Amino acid sequence: MEVSERLFSFIETHAADDLSQLLLSAGRYPEVDVRFAVEQIASRRHLRGKLPTWEADGRLLFPSRRAAEQCSSEFTARYKQRLLEGERHLCDLTGGLGVDAYYFSLRTEGVTYVECDGACFETAMYNFERLKAGNITGYNADARAVSGEIARPDVFYLDPSRRVTGNTRVFALRDCTPDLTEMLPCLLRRAPKVIAKLSPMLDVRHALDVLPATCEIHVVSVRNECKELLFVMRSGAKRGDDMPVQCINFTADGGEQVFRFCLREEREAESRICRRVQAWLYEPNASILKAGAYKLIAQRYGVEKLHASSHLYTSDDCLHAFPGRVFRVEGVFAFNNAFCRTIVRDVPQANLSVRNFPLTAGELRKRLRIADGGDVFMFATTLAAGNEKVVILCRKAERVSVRAD
């Protein structure tokens, strides 16, 4: 990896260029590795909102666009710092771009960074030096080969790769690299605590079945998009219904929506089903939906569910503090041929969602002939009363950021 002021000057000069055209004109810049420079520009574009502190430093480097796509965001990396409880030494066994390792290093005396890919390792070590992270020690090695050789840390951290040969995505834990289910007993013999970042597509209850040492779960969303499942495991821990689950959503205005519960609470919560759609409609944020707190959210906030399988809620009084999206209902329409023929005249544009409905959003939009966007929201769903199919028209209420415990 050749680093020079000429390279950084080229990146800065061509930051807004069409990258395909820039590659085609590589012959005009024999003094610069144009392909490498293009990777830097593309990576920076991807990281602009995801990792703004790193993207703003014009001298950091990135091994590939893929690495930039897969790395933790600044929000989620900083959140993971909260999972530390005064531990002095952490070992990151799947270092990648090094974002998590760097942010962990700000809260510990030392971090061991392990990464098997040579280019990624070299780039990360360069960045650590640039960031003055002098308490990070690096190993260019496979996690499975090196985990037993590292001095016993207080915490192991790993983010198993969810891509296999041919860049195919996998989600089952046993298909990821390294296989956490296989390594976990060894890791817990060497450290009292293991933190794992898992795919947001993973089923939480299935993961608990194969990771019985789990003692707490964190579901992290950014701007209502579920980004990470974080499982904290300890030696001797046994799965139980009292296990805490923390759901957190970082909102666009910098606020946090937090919802804490335990599995027993959800299992024992009363199912509150409405008789009609009331004045206000609520959609829990992505973290709560992922964690499966479907009944408990209704019980805690005094709202009612439209249907056991719809995961939409309603009330007569507005609850601005609800941890999710809040809408003012403007109309509830039976889904029938007459509605499909005429709604476009009154609502030519809307944000369309389906919940527990026989059509996909794309199929419904095509049938209604409604353009996407605007300030009107339409939810196509099923009501518990008679399993009636309806479309609910509403507008978004002003967001209020709160901690919802």
Side-chain angles (χ1 to χ4, degrees), residues 276-279 281 306 314 329-335 339 379 381 383 388-394:
R276 61 178 178 82
V277 179
Q278 299 166 34
L281 188 74
L306 302 192
T314 190
V329 175
E330 297 192 345
V332 181
F333 301 89
F335 180 73
F339 172 82
F379 286 90
T381 190
L383 301 183
E388 182 185 7
K389 305 295 184 292
V390 299
V391 176
I392 305 170
L393 265 63
C394 45

Side-chain angles (χ1 to χ4, degrees), residues 108-125:
T108 60
E109 292 182 13
V111 168
T112 301
Y113 161 87
V114 180
E115 172 54 46
C116 61
D117 181 82
C120 201
F121 175 82
E122 185 180 1
T123 306
M125 296 307 293

